[in-house]
């Protein structure tokens, strides 16, 4: 194992013992929220520390065996050489187990997400593409056994969406979808194009993790402007007769969230508050990430919605992810929700970059 990695492991080991001492402190035990945070961190790094302690013990055993190599007793020397061989195999196994655990896991990886898709440049064709993108993600979610709740949608006249916002609920949703944020560009011949010319349009995707209860930010009700209005779109006559839709504006930040999915104004307000908190928390996390330049270098993409991350070329049946230089020629399958190759490749590239940083 490289010295740089061992150095990092020793720091984690010290942190582990420090947290253990804090958890035993009577004053800290009175602070329930702090205890929860410390316990989570303790549990998170414990597997790494336990493996590293095994590694340290094996290194010590190996050093003891090496000291016997120069013995004149042939039988004793042979036993020492055999023991060294066994220990080296065990060290390799531990190194293979410990390396993935060292990679920086986002604590939000297990979170549900808010998926926001908005038509960009390209007029009606961009809105149609936004609709295609939503259906692509919906099919992927269905395959993953995740559920989707549509919170808000603004349909276009051509069967697409100017905007659609949905909540995706399931296991490890953010870990799978977090690299989807950014600008997605499409190149294809629109159905309305009589000359057969290829048009380029785009939509933006934002994947925002739902705020964890422990980290949940408090919002002062005095800082909220609440507007109610009649919901639009599908839903029957009842939707158009009552002011069930809710729009919340967080005055200090200007962040807006709205929901018109339910007939109940109360339920729409509750969902809008959850979305509002997630958006505000997401802004705070991005500010932190901006300040941590080294951390950003490890990421496959910044998650900035203005960053062009992918091109969907329909005439050639080709999709290219510009962040990792990956080109695939199964566009029709991908648009049907087969995102596994793309998502796995992005995750692997991210892990490789983190490992490269780790070894420096």
């Amino acid at each position: 194992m490289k010295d740089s990695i061992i150095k990092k492991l020793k720091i984690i080991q010290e942190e582990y013992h420090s947290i253990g001492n804090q958890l035993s402190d009577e004053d800290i035990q009175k602070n329930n929220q702090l205890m929860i945070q410390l316990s989570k961190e303790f549990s998170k790094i414990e597997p790494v520390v336990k493996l590293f302690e095994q590694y340290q013990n094996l290194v010590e055993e190996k050093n003891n065996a090496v000291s016997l190599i120069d013995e004149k007793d042939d039988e004793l020397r042979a036993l020492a050489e055999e023991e060294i061989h066994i220990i080296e195999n065990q060290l390799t196994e531990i190194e293979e187990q410990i390396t993935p655990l060292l990679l920086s896991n986002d604590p939000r990886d297990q979170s549900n997400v808010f998926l926001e898709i908005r038509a960009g440049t390209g007029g009606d064709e961009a809105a149609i593409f936004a609709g295609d993108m939503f259906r692509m993600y919906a099919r992927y979610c269905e395959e993953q056994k995740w559920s989707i709740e549509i919170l808000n949608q603004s349909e276009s006249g051509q069967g697409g969406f100017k905007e659609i916002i949905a909540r995706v609920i399931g296991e490890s949703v953010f870990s799978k979808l977090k690299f989807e944020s950014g600008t997605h560009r499409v190149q294809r011949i629109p159905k309305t194009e009589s000359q057969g010319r290829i048009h380029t349009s785009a939509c933006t995707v934002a994947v925002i993790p739902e705020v964890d209860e422990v980290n949940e930010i408090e919002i002062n009700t005095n800082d909220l402007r609440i507007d109610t209005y009649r919901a639009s779109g599908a839903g029957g006559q009842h939707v158009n007769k009552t002011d069930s839709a809710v729009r919340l504006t967080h005055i200090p930040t200007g962040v807006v969230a709205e929901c018109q999915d339910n007939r109940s104004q109360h339920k729409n307000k509750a969902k809008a508050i959850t979305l509002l908190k997630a958006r505000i928390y997401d802004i705070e996390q991005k500010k932190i990430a901006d300040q941590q330049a080294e951390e950003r270098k490890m990421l496959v993409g910044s998650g900035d919605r203005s960053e062009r991350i992918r091109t969907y070329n329909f005439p050639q049946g080709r999709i290219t992810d510009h962040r990792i230089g990956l080109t695939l020629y199964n566009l029709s399958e991908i648009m049907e929700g087969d995102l596994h190759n793309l998502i796995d490749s992005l995750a692997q590239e991210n892990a490789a970059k983190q490992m490269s940083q780790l070894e420096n």
Side-chain angles (χ1 to χ4, degrees):
M1 195 180 291
K2 291 188 176 181
D3 290 341
S4 58
I5 294 179
I6 290 175
K7 184 178 178 181
K8 286 181 173 66
L9 284 166
K10 286 182 176 178
I11 292 171
I12 294 171
Q13 190 177 40
E14 289 174 8
E15 183 185 0
Y16 173 78
H17 292 302
S18 172
I19 294 173
N21 291 333
Q22 290 179 69
L23 289 170
S24 302
D25 189 294
E26 291 184 2
D27 291 331
I28 289 177
Q29 288 174 357
K30 294 174 185 176
N31 187 332
N32 190 49
Q33 186 169 342
L34 181 57
M35 280 292 291
I36 291 171
Q37 291 174 344
L38 288 172
S39 297
K40 278 191 170 184
E41 186 61 26
F42 189 80
S43 299
K44 178 183 172 183
I45 62 177
E46 186 172 33
V48 179
V49 174
K50 294 300 181 186
L51 281 171
F52 183 50
E53 287 175 349
Q54 289 180 38
Y55 185 89
Q56 289 173 310
N57 291 334
L58 285 169
V59 167
E60 188 176 344
E61 289 178 22
K62 180 184 173 182
N63 291 336
N64 292 335
V66 167
S67 66
L68 299 175
I69 292 294
D70 294 331
E71 289 287 332
K72 293 180 180 179
D73 188 322
D74 291 341
E75 186 177 346
L76 186 60
R77 188 169 61 250
L79 286 171
E81 289 173 349
E82 184 181 351
E83 186 177 357
I84 290 169
H85 178 70
I86 292 170
I87 291 172
E88 284 178 344
N89 287 336
Q90 291 174 330
L91 288 170
T92 301
E93 286 178 12
I94 289 178
E95 192 170 344
E96 288 173 354
Q97 291 176 55
I98 215 168
T99 299
L101 297 177
L102 280 175
L103 301 183
S104 134
N105 290 322
D106 192 321
R108 303 171 296 168
D109 275 350
Q110 302 301 314
S111 300
N112 300 325
V113 306
F114 293 103
L115 174 66
E116 305 182 357
I117 303 173
R118 293 179 176 86
T121 55
D124 286 340
E125 176 61 17
I128 292 170
F129 180 51
D132 292 340
M133 290 292 290
F134 177 72
R135 283 185 284 275
M136 176 187 77
Y137 288 124
R139 285 169 181 147
Y140 177 73
C141 291
E142 184 180 353
E143 190 176 318
Q144 296 294 311
K145 310 298 183 187
W146 299 337
S147 59
I148 296 180
E149 294 178 356
I150 296 175
L151 303 184
N152 198 37
Q153 59 182 311
S154 174
E155 297 178 2
S156 71
Q158 301 294 324
F161 295 106
K162 295 175 184 176
E163 174 188 81
I164 183 163
I165 300 170
R167 180 173 176 244
V168 183
I169 307 150
E171 186 177 344
S172 306
V173 180
F174 187 63
S175 69
K176 297 283 188 181
L177 296 181
K178 62 183 173 183
F179 297 124
E180 295 302 301
S181 292
T183 298
H184 297 245
R185 186 178 68 167
V186 62
Q187 295 172 326
R188 64 182 172 187
I189 302 170
K191 293 177 181 178
T192 55
E193 171 57 59
S194 59
Q195 303 295 321
R197 291 172 299 187
I198 295 173
H199 287 225
T200 298
S201 55
C203 73
T204 60
V205 174
V207 177
I208 302 172
E210 196 171 50
V211 179
D212 185 18
E213 289 180 8
V214 174
N215 298 318
E216 190 170 340
I217 54 176
E218 294 296 327
I219 293 180
N220 190 330
T221 53
N222 294 327
D223 291 336
L224 287 180
R225 185 173 73 241
I226 304 173
D227 299 308
T228 57
Y229 57 99
R230 292 183 182 180
S232 59
Q237 293 180 353
H238 178 87
V239 171
N240 296 319
K241 287 185 177 180
T242 61
D243 292 340
S244 60
V246 176
R247 181 186 296 111
L248 302 178
T249 304
H250 187 241
I251 297 168
T253 62
V255 176
V256 177
E258 54 189 337
C259 181
Q260 57 173 321
D261 182 49
N262 285 281
R263 292 183 177 183
S264 163
Q265 186 184 110
H266 177 73
K267 289 181 179 178
N268 282 333
K269 182 181 176 182
K271 287 186 177 182
I273 287 176
T274 304
L275 174 57
L276 188 73
K277 288 181 177 181
R279 283 181 174 165
I280 293 171
Y281 184 70
D282 189 54
I283 290 169
E284 290 179 356
Q285 290 298 108
K286 281 183 169 58
K287 285 180 182 177
I288 294 169
D290 286 340
Q291 294 168 0
Q292 297 173 339
E294 288 302 317
E295 182 179 339
R296 285 182 72 85
K297 287 178 185 177
M298 289 161 55
L299 299 177
V300 166
S302 66
D304 189 340
R305 272 170 259 182
S306 65
E307 179 189 10
R308 191 190 74 181
I309 63 169
R310 204 175 285 156
T311 295
Y312 302 72
N313 186 300
F314 277 77
Q316 297 179 18
R318 166 173 57 84
I319 184 168
T320 299
D321 195 292
H322 304 290
R323 295 164 295 180
I324 59 176
L326 174 68
T327 297
L328 300 172
Y329 288 89
N330 62 331
L331 181 56
S332 58
E333 289 90 346
I334 287 169
M335 296 309 295
E336 290 298 320
D338 186 4
L339 298 173
H340 301 288
N341 280 349
L342 272 172
I343 287 172
D344 290 347
S345 297
L346 287 161
Q348 289 165 12
E349 182 71 13
N350 190 56
K353 286 189 176 182
Q354 287 191 44
M355 200 63 219
S356 174
Q357 290 284 330
L358 193 64
E359 292 175 351
N360 289 334

